[in-house]
Amino acid sequence: MNRVAAPPALPLPPASGGWREGDPPGRRAWVALDGPLGLESGDALPDVRLAYETWGRLAPDGANAVLVLHALTGDSHAAGPAGPGHPTAGWWDALIGPGRALDTDRWFVVAPNVLGGCQGSTGPSSRRPDGVPWGPAFPYLTIRDQVAAEALLADALGIGRWAAVIGGSMGGMRALEWAVSRPGRTGSLLVLAAPAAASAEQIAWGSTQIAAIRNDPGWQQGRYHDAPPGSGPHRGLGLARRIAHVTYRSEAELGTRFGRRAQPGELPSQGGRYQVESYLDHHAGKLVRRFDAGSYTVLTEAMNAHDVGRGRGGVARALRRADMPALIAGIDSDRLYPPAQQAGTAACLPGADRLRIIESPYGHDGFLIEAGQVGALVRELLHSGPPAHRS
């Protein structure tokens, strides 16, 4: 048979795809946190800074500020085109801007890059005070540590209380932690496709991805950041992404979209790929050029540790602290964070009336794709304008 010509070979992937000093800043701004950041583990992280982006203008009384929190491989670039400093377009671009659900003529929207991330905030690819990459010396983080850093960012921006805290997936975990640990600073809450505590199955998926990275010879016990292109743990990170992406989509969507069809010009019986394999290869190849393997492991460990009830008398008791208006939404086809988990959260939150369901064939990724349905939830949450401060 006639074979399709192979595409031109891409350059070797960098040791780390994260943002580095000297790269274009893009729309980012930074806040350096005062003093070492104390962590839940008892360790402290010195010289912490967070990258963030904003849209709109903060009102004189600060009442119109909305915090938007990204998922595992997201970053601060929630809106806007790809360009220098931003390898991808905004992950919620359809929701943020004038006249959109997060109307920037009305709201001041803040999106930070999470602590431990790799797009400008302090993480494993950052340099320590001695100039050496943190690498394996970077401390263990929890969702609570990340929210503690975000609270200091809010202080630096002069925001005492968010009108709303909004997040999906890992961002939803942080949003829920904001509501439980700082209810007085969380005016309202929207959690999309995220649990109150990671389940055994979710920990298993995450741990498998971590193992894929750490078993790559290019991992070098986490000391790879100064390696030449092609010598970092890109194979392990790519495999982790392939595993994760299967959980992000639904079986029905993959079946409809790809079925058992071979990739054009390739024969699986002769070492070629099925279309679904090519699809996973594509997403793996994209991620290794914009993300850091160390951040992937640190953030996945934080997600595995996520439990708003830890040390607070259990999940139900902890959620009762969060008495602000709340919308909790699940995706009907999500097999990673199934709606039953969000139903339990909604039942325990004093300010949540019922579980909202996003209908989507796309699985967990529906919170990124179904802009119309997600936008409707955002508008419902914010319909009354900046809420008055509760004493």
Side-chain angles (χ1 to χ4, degrees), residues 77-93:
H77 197 53
H86 299 298
T88 58
W91 50 271
W92 253 8
D93 191 64

Side-chain angles (χ1 to χ4, degrees), residues 218-305:
W219 172 247
Q220 302 178 47
Q221 290 76 49
R223 299 179 179 87
Y224 61 87
H225 288 97
D226 289 329
S231 298
H234 62 276
R235 294 178 180 85
L237 178 57
L239 179 55
R241 179 62 163 183
R242 290 174 176 89
I243 295 167
H245 207 77
V246 173
T247 72
Y248 297 160
R249 297 295 178 132
S250 72
E251 188 277 336
E253 190 232 350
L254 293 177
T256 300
R257 187 172 178 182
F258 302 112
R260 294 185 45 79
R261 294 184 292 278
Q263 182 70 359
E266 300 187 26
L267 292 175
S269 62
Q270 297 179 10
R273 300 170 298 171
Y274 291 97
Q275 286 185 11
V276 70
E277 292 178 276
S278 174
Y279 169 73
L280 296 176
D281 288 347
H282 170 73
H283 282 281
K286 287 174 59 179
L287 186 74
V288 300
R289 286 173 167 78
R290 69 169 183 86
F291 213 76
D292 178 65
S295 280
Y296 198 102
T297 63
V298 164
L299 300 182
T300 302
E301 286 178 330
M303 294 169 70
N304 283 351

Side-chain angles (χ1 to χ4, degrees), residues 33-386:
L33 307 185
D34 291 334
L37 177 68
L39 305 177
E40 191 180 356
S41 65
D43 290 336
L45 187 58
D47 295 334
V48 173
R49 69 174 189 169
L50 293 185
Y52 67 97
E53 296 180 45
T54 67
W55 299 264
R57 180 175 297 179
L58 185 64
D61 62 0
N64 69 330
V66 175
L67 180 63
V68 172
L69 301 174
H70 67 77
L72 171 60
T73 60
D75 55 36
S76 64
H77 197 53
H86 299 298
T88 58
W91 50 271
W92 253 8
D93 191 64
L95 272 69
I96 299 172
R100 297 177 182 176
L102 283 165
D103 186 349
T104 52
D105 289 334
R106 181 180 183 190
W107 303 101
F108 179 64
V109 179
V110 180
N113 182 216
V114 69
L115 178 67
C118 63
Q119 287 294 330
S121 291
T122 299
S125 60
S126 304
R127 302 276 169 176
R128 301 183 312 203
D130 61 6
V132 176
W134 272 102
F138 194 80
Y140 180 87
L141 293 182
T142 66
I143 298 292
R144 297 183 189 185
D145 297 328
Q146 294 164 341
V147 168
E150 290 163 0
L152 294 173
L153 169 65
D155 293 344
L157 296 177
I159 299 168
R161 181 173 181 267
W162 299 102
V165 178
I166 299 171
S169 193
M170 186 186 78
M173 297 178 186
R174 285 149 55 213
L176 201 56
E177 176 61 30
W178 261 99
V180 168
S181 63
R182 293 163 175 81
R185 301 191 71 172
T186 308
S188 61
L189 174 69
L190 174 57
V191 176
L192 302 160
S199 70
E201 182 179 44
Q202 289 149 7
I203 294 169
W205 281 120
S207 298
T208 302
Q209 294 165 50
I210 292 170
I213 293 170
R214 290 180 173 165
N215 283 319
D216 184 334
W219 172 247
Q220 302 178 47
Q221 290 76 49
R223 299 179 179 87
Y224 61 87
H225 288 97
D226 289 329
S231 298
H234 62 276
R235 294 178 180 85
L237 178 57
L239 179 55
R241 179 62 163 183
R242 290 174 176 89
I243 295 167
H245 207 77
V246 173
T247 72
Y248 297 160
R249 297 295 178 132
S250 72
E251 188 277 336
E253 190 232 350
L254 293 177
T256 300
R257 187 172 178 182
F258 302 112
R260 294 185 45 79
R261 294 184 292 278
Q263 182 70 359
E266 300 187 26
L267 292 175
S269 62
Q270 297 179 10
R273 300 170 298 171
Y274 291 97
Q275 286 185 11
V276 70
E277 292 178 276
S278 174
Y279 169 73
L280 296 176
D281 288 347
H282 170 73
H283 282 281
K286 287 174 59 179
L287 186 74
V288 300
R289 286 173 167 78
R290 69 169 183 86
F291 213 76
D292 178 65
S295 280
Y296 198 102
T297 63
V298 164
L299 300 182
T300 302
E301 286 178 330
M303 294 169 70
N304 283 351
H306 171 59
D307 179 0
V308 297
R310 183 174 60 251
R312 296 168 175 160
V315 167
R317 184 173 180 181
L319 290 175
R320 287 198 291 272
R321 301 180 178 194
D323 62 350
M324 70 289 300
L327 295 179
I328 308 299
I331 301 165
D332 60 358
S333 58
D334 191 345
R335 55 181 170 180
L336 178 59
Y337 297 118
Q341 281 188 315
Q342 288 92 59
T345 300
C348 293
L349 281 172
D353 54 357
R354 67 187 188 281
L355 175 67
R356 308 306 175 91
I357 294 293
I358 296 170
E359 297 179 354
S360 176
Y362 299 111
H364 183 65
D365 273 354
F367 82 94
L368 296 170
I369 297 171
E370 302 292 353
Q373 294 180 69
V374 174
L377 293 172
V378 171
R379 292 179 191 278
E380 180 181 350
L381 187 75
L382 300 176
H383 77 284
S384 59

